[in-house]
């Protein structure tokens, strides 16, 4: 009997192929795209936008994406072994997604699904010269993730588990999260989640509260997400409630120092001031630096600084994944 492969970090999330193209404001208006936000679209709308960008003079990049997948890519480039649990169809985008994920060093543990009516998820991302990304996401097959996709053997050795709130829109996704957290804890690992979006929190507040106060060992959210979760306007009140529920609480504040709380310990991590080119991947890479630090056993303050350094790197260029050697950036700060 073969020994299960051991991973340092396992992530569960939407497997979304990013279709990234540069454009201008006039084109956004012509296509009816709301600038600077992420909106869910149906299949017909996604196919219309795919056809429109294919006809554009700017060739699109195809990059495996999704919030957790981006975080795992950042963690992998820092040197830890990673695995991604997600669903893609056995179509061109899905086969490409699985192949590119593996090429980057992250195990794509669920093979592409044949014979499915739903295609691989995609996000058509239109980037204007001011760095704003207008994201049009069709969830497709990735939203069909269920407990059947979670193999407890993936958690051999007690890895860190990272989940994304976006998958909470279906009961099967919630059940998959709970199965994964149980398997992770049974193997001696730590489980955590990113709240993902204040609107997502609004839709699933009670479920999120049960997760934060129950199987989650660490939770990452921004100011608006924490305030939404506890339905309070005062951030300090929200964080106090969160710290009473969860062992490790992390709050990012756009342009301001991040706050990290673990038990009686509270620290801040300074943001790194850079001119933003593309801000969308900041949260994903903050999570990558942070989880890398936590998984390698550094202190809470150092882990927060790692997150801020990784976030600063990614907003300095187009794309949600690092282009520089982030580990070298950490070394330069005495952090790795």
């Amino acid at each position: 009997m073969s020994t299960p492969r051991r991973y340092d970090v396992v992530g569960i999330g939407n497997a979304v192929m990013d279709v990234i193209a540069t454009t201008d404001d006039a084109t956004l208006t012509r296509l009816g795209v709301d600038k600077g936000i992420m909106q869910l679209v149906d299949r017909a709308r996604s196919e219309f936008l795919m056809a429109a960008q294919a006809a554009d003079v700017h060739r699109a990049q195809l990059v495996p994406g999704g919030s957790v997948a981006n975080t795992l890519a950042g963690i992998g480039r820092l040197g830890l072994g990673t695995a991604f649990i997600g669903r893609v169809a056995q179509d061109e985008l899905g086969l490409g997604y699985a192949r590119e994920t593996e090429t980057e060093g992250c195990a794509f543990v669920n093979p592409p699904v044949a014979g499915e009516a739903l295609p691989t998820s995609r996000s058509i991302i239109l980037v204007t010269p001011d760095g704003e990304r207008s994201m049009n996401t069709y969830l497709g097959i990735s939203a069909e993730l269920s407990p059947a996709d979670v193999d407890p053997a993936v958690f051999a050795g007690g890895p860190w588990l990272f989940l994304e709130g976006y998958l909470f829109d279906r009961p099967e996704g919630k059940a998959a999260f709970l199965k994964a957290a149980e398997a992770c804890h049974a193997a001696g690992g730590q489980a955590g989640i990113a709240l993902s979006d204040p609107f997502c929190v609004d839709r699933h507040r009670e479920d999120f509260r049960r997760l934060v106060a129950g199987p989650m060992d660490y939770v990452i959210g921004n100011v608006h997400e924490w305030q939404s979760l506890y339905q309070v306007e005062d951030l300090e009140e929200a964080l106090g409630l969160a710290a009473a529920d969860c062992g490790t609480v992390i709050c990012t504040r756009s342009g301001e120092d991040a706050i990290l709380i673990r038990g009686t310990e509270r620290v801040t991590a300074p943001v790194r001031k850079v001119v933003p080119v593309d801000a969308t991947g900041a949260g994903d890479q903050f999570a990558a630096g942070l989880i890398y630090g936590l998984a390698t056993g550094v202190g809470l303050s150092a882990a927060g600084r790692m997150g801020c350094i990784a976030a600063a790197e990614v907003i300095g260029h187009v794309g949600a994944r690092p282009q520089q050697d982030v580990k070298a950036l950490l070394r330069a700060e005495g952090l790795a």
Side-chain angles (χ1 to χ4, degrees):
M1 183 176 178
S2 62
T3 302
R5 181 175 171 184
R6 188 191 183 285
Y7 304 105
D8 299 300
V9 182
V10 175
I12 301 179
N14 284 309
V16 182
M17 183 66 90
D18 288 343
V19 183
I20 307 172
T22 56
T23 190
D24 52 41
D25 290 322
T27 300
L28 294 184
T29 300
R30 177 173 57 82
L31 295 176
V33 172
D34 292 329
K35 183 175 178 178
I37 66 169
M38 193 286 283
Q39 58 184 350
L40 297 177
V41 298
D42 61 19
R43 184 172 181 174
R45 175 68 172 163
S46 79
E47 291 174 353
F48 166 77
L49 291 173
M50 288 281 286
Q53 66 79 22
D56 202 325
V57 294
H58 305 290
R59 180 172 296 177
Q61 293 177 272
L62 297 180
V63 181
S67 181
V68 163
N70 290 333
T71 295
L72 291 174
I75 293 170
R77 293 181 191 185
L78 286 167
L80 297 186
T82 59
F84 180 61
I85 297 172
R87 283 176 70 87
V88 296
Q90 200 177 75
D91 53 22
E92 184 177 356
L93 287 182
L95 294 170
Y97 192 102
R99 181 178 61 251
E100 292 302 319
T101 299
E102 291 274 353
T103 297
E104 189 146 310
C106 178
F108 193 81
V109 298
N110 301 97
V113 181
E116 282 288 324
L118 292 175
T120 296
S121 309
R122 74 288 307 266
S123 183
I124 300 97
I125 303 172
L126 303 174
V127 185
T128 44
D130 57 4
E132 288 283 357
R133 287 160 60 104
S134 306
M135 306 171 69
N136 304 269
T137 303
Y138 170 61
L139 291 179
I141 194 175
S142 69
E144 301 291 314
L145 188 88
S146 76
D149 297 303
V150 178
D151 181 0
V154 174
F155 298 93
W160 286 70
L161 170 65
F162 186 48
L163 310 168
E164 69 177 45
Y166 289 125
L167 269 176
F168 249 56
D169 281 322
R170 295 182 69 252
E172 292 85 352
K174 299 174 188 179
F177 279 8
L178 293 174
K179 180 180 179 181
E182 181 179 353
C184 176
H185 286 144
Q190 297 279 301
I193 191 169
L195 296 177
S196 296
D197 181 274
F199 300 108
C200 188
V201 174
D202 287 341
R203 291 193 298 271
H204 307 289
R205 184 172 290 108
E206 294 307 314
D207 284 323
F208 274 130
R209 283 188 179 179
R210 281 191 286 270
L211 271 182
V212 171
M216 295 298 102
D217 301 294
Y218 66 99
V219 180
I220 305 170
N222 64 28
V223 173
H224 305 296
E225 290 156 4
W226 285 118
Q227 290 171 329
S228 174
L229 184 65
Y230 291 101
Q231 294 180 285
V232 297
E233 294 185 3
D234 181 71
L235 177 61
E236 288 302 318
E237 183 180 358
L239 293 181
L241 293 167
D245 282 344
C246 184
T248 302
V249 171
I250 302 100
C251 178
T252 58
R253 302 182 295 166
S254 180
E256 298 183 54
D257 296 352
I259 300 171
L260 301 93
I261 305 169
R262 183 165 57 193
T264 59
E265 180 184 10
R266 175 173 171 147
V267 299
T268 58
V271 298
R272 299 172 68 87
K273 302 293 185 181
V274 298
V275 177
V277 174
D278 179 0
T280 303
D284 300 341
Q285 296 312 316
F286 173 85
L290 173 84
I291 295 169
Y292 170 78
L294 296 176
T296 54
V298 306
L300 193 61
S301 178
R305 289 174 61 199
M306 289 177 171
C308 290
I309 290 169
E313 188 282 335
V314 81
I315 67 175
H317 57 76
V318 173
R321 299 187 177 189
Q323 290 183 354
Q324 298 185 62
D325 182 345
V326 176
K327 196 160 189 178
L329 298 178
L330 300 183
R331 289 195 194 99
E333 298 289 330
L335 291 172

